Amino acid sequence: MTRVFCIGELLIDFVAENQGNDLSKATLFTKKAGGAPANVACAIARLGGKSSFIGCVGKDPFGSFLLDVLKRENVDISKVQRSKTFTTLAFVSLADDGERDFVFSRGADRALKYDSKVQKDFERNILHLGAATAMLGGPLEEAYAHYFFDALTKNSFISFDPNYRADLWKDDAQVFIKKCMPYVEKAHLCKFSLEEAYLLSGKHTVEEACAMLHEIGARIITVTLGKDGTYVSTKTLKKTVPSIKVSPIDTTGAGDAFIGCLLYQIAQLPTYNTVFEDDGLLLAMVEKANKAGAITTTNYGAIIALPTLKQLEA
């Protein structure tokens, strides 16, 4: 079975107990494991796939907690690094509609150092680049770019999810866009939210956004639309795939569950080219990935809410 390597941040989500309010009104928090690429790795493993996480956590109790969570989820953590810098934290509150209000306190995630020995493991495997913090400079950004180049030279299938967080970029959105372009150009699969598709393309409809992003180089584009499903775009396919109806209570990790499920399915294929050649297969895979994302919104937290294969096939 093909292995999926997920690179980026692993962090603590402190989730506010008094849901339905913004962070300014939060007083009590529950500690949960989080970080977009780590969530994706767990989503794949929970479905029975093989995933490895590459990132950095602190040499502190929070870092140990996070690694214990990933081990329990059967994610390979042999390439995780530990730093004297404190583990990265995120504080999250949820509005009545399940949308998030959150802020980061960055720490050890930025300290990831490039390890040239890892590149041999990318040969014909999948690399998922999905870090919210990877474009913010420092060793992590350098390692991220190095691993991306390694994947290109090792015939890897490359997946890219920019995970744009407005509070991390403030007035520097144009810098974010510029840094994303090399990844959009070379990725086989790009997963965007509607906001990200509009931001990166400068367009105002999903069709125009995808057309622009295809011109840059992206081969398969999925744009998640929340309860409305996912817009799928290739050179030969333009279609919205509906999702199942649920009553969401927490959208944290829904996009990660979606892309994790999609990558899990791609990893089962005898050759990656199949997903480029068979529109019907791609649509069926996206439909199942939509279901994974929807199920995740029906529980609090990200990793704990990820579906198993049994739930997905029910």
Side-chain angles (χ1 to χ4, degrees):
M1 186 186 298
T2 298
R3 181 173 293 276
V4 184
F5 293 86
C6 302
I7 301 178
E9 77 273 6
L10 173 60
L11 51 81
I12 298 289
D13 278 328
F14 280 109
V15 182
E17 288 293 311
N18 54 332
Q19 303 300 334
N21 291 295
D22 61 36
L23 279 172
S24 68
K25 299 178 177 64
T27 55
L28 298 174
F29 295 83
T30 299
K31 178 184 69 177
K32 294 182 182 293
N39 293 342
V40 174
C42 289
I44 293 162
R46 189 167 283 197
L47 293 171
K50 291 184 177 181
S51 64
S52 296
F53 176 74
I54 301 175
C56 185
V57 296
K59 294 180 180 178
D60 53 59
F62 288 144
S64 298
F65 164 77
L66 291 169
L67 294 184
D68 286 343
V69 170
L70 263 60
K71 282 193 290 185
R72 189 165 62 245
E73 294 293 333
N74 296 313
V75 174
D76 170 39
I77 58 170
S78 62
K79 295 171 178 58
V80 174
Q81 299 171 14
R82 302 197 72 171
S83 169
K84 292 181 180 178
T85 305
F86 202 75
T87 296
T88 299
L89 310 176
F91 295 85
V92 187
S93 186
L94 299 167
D96 288 328
D97 61 0
E99 288 300 317
R100 297 166 294 176
D101 177 28
F102 64 93
V103 294
F104 278 97
S105 177
R106 283 203 78 193
D109 79 279
R110 76 170 77 216
L112 179 69
K113 297 178 181 178
Y114 172 67
D115 181 358
S116 61
K117 297 189 295 294
V118 173
Q119 63 177 301
K120 67 181 187 302
D121 297 320
F122 291 166
E123 187 73 43
R124 300 189 182 282
N125 280 313
I126 296 174
L127 183 71
H128 176 65
L129 297 156
T133 61
M135 309 294 182
L136 294 171
L140 170 61
E141 184 169 356
E142 294 175 14
Y144 201 74
H146 273 300
Y147 288 132
F148 174 54
F149 178 79
D150 288 344
L152 290 171
T153 64
K154 293 295 182 181
N155 299 309
S156 303
F157 182 94
I158 299 173
S159 165
F160 177 60
D161 180 353
N163 289 120
Y164 177 69
R165 302 289 183 261
D167 66 308
L168 293 181
W169 289 95
K170 310 291 184 190
D171 299 322
D172 295 325
Q174 292 303 313
V175 176
F176 174 82
I177 293 168
K178 183 178 179 179
K179 288 186 175 186
C180 284
M181 286 304 126
Y183 299 93
V184 175
E185 178 185 358
K186 297 295 185 182
H188 299 94
L189 168 65
C190 289
K191 179 263 175 192
F192 304 118
S193 67
L194 191 59
E195 176 193 16
E196 290 163 347
Y198 289 169
L199 176 69
L200 294 178
S201 67
K203 303 299 182 180
H204 302 289
T205 70
V206 67
E207 294 83 4
E208 290 176 337
C210 287
M212 174 66 177
L213 295 166
H214 281 308
E215 286 182 16
I216 293 168
R219 295 188 65 179
I220 299 173
I221 297 173
T222 60
V223 182
T224 52
L225 306 172
K227 63 181 177 60
D228 295 324
T230 300
Y231 184 79
V232 184
S233 181
T234 69
K235 287 185 177 180
T236 59
L237 178 66
K238 316 287 178 188
K239 187 171 183 179
T240 297
V241 180
S243 187
I244 62 171
K245 291 184 178 181
V246 295
S247 298
I249 60 173
D250 181 3
T251 62
T252 305
D256 302 326
F258 168 86
I259 192 63
C261 182
L262 188 54
L263 292 174
Y264 162 77
Q265 294 175 85
I266 292 172
Q268 314 304 308
L269 299 174
T271 171
Y272 302 138
N273 287 332
T274 308
V275 77
F276 301 122
E277 298 167 352
D278 189 335
D279 289 349
L281 174 64
L282 178 58
L283 290 173
M285 295 167 77
V286 170
E287 183 177 7
K288 182 176 286 189
N290 279 348
K291 186 175 181 181
I295 291 172
T296 303
T297 69
T298 63
N299 198 355
Y300 289 113
I303 292 173
I304 195 172
L306 295 168
T308 63
L309 193 59
K310 184 177 180 180
Q311 287 176 291
L312 207 56
E313 294 178 344

